[in-house]
Amino acid sequence: MLHDRLLVRQPSDDGERRSSSGIVIPATAQMASRLCWGDVLGVGNNVRNIQIGDRVLFNPEDPLEVEIQGDAYLVMRERDIHAIASERTEQGTGLYL
């Protein structure tokens, strides 16, 4: 990746979901705009706060999609990330907003 770009794999959510109260939400239900979590697979040399292996929160309508060897990935800028969930806990809880 170049500059401040990230390569992110978004987990597929093709099926139905359950709400926190146990209600089944079908896959065809319309939802308001939601942020999604994804796994960082590559970072550019100017990315400051994100490392490979971090989980990031982003708007799925913003990034560009690229297909590599039949798999779909997202390419986005570091500034498009809303939060980082990482295993590094030397500076706090591991969730940075």
Side-chain angles (χ1 to χ4, degrees), residues 3 17 19-20 35-37 42 48 50-51 59 61 67:
H3 307 296
R17 303 179 313 274
S19 70
S20 59
L35 297 177
C36 294
W37 289 98
R48 295 173 288 162
I50 301 171
Q51 297 178 1
N59 186 349
E61 297 171 5
E67 186 173 322

Side-chain angles (χ1 to χ4, degrees), residues 35-68:
L35 297 177
C36 294
W37 289 98
D39 299 317
V40 177
L41 301 178
V43 296
N45 56 354
N46 291 338
V47 174
R48 295 173 288 162
N49 298 318
I50 301 171
Q51 297 178 1
I52 294 175
D54 287 348
R55 288 186 50 83
V56 293
L57 185 66
F58 61 94
N59 186 349
E61 297 171 5
D62 288 343
L64 301 172
E65 188 171 316
V66 64
E67 186 173 322
I68 302 172

Side-chain angles (χ1 to χ4, degrees), residues 68-97:
I68 302 172
Q69 297 180 351
D71 295 325
Y73 299 96
L74 303 173
V75 176
M76 64 187 70
R77 291 179 178 253
E78 183 180 20
R79 69 179 182 205
D80 295 332
I81 301 300
H82 296 282
I84 304 167
S86 71
E87 297 296 323
R88 301 181 314 268
T89 58
E90 65 271 3
Q91 294 184 7
T93 63
L95 182 61
Y96 304 98
L97 299 176

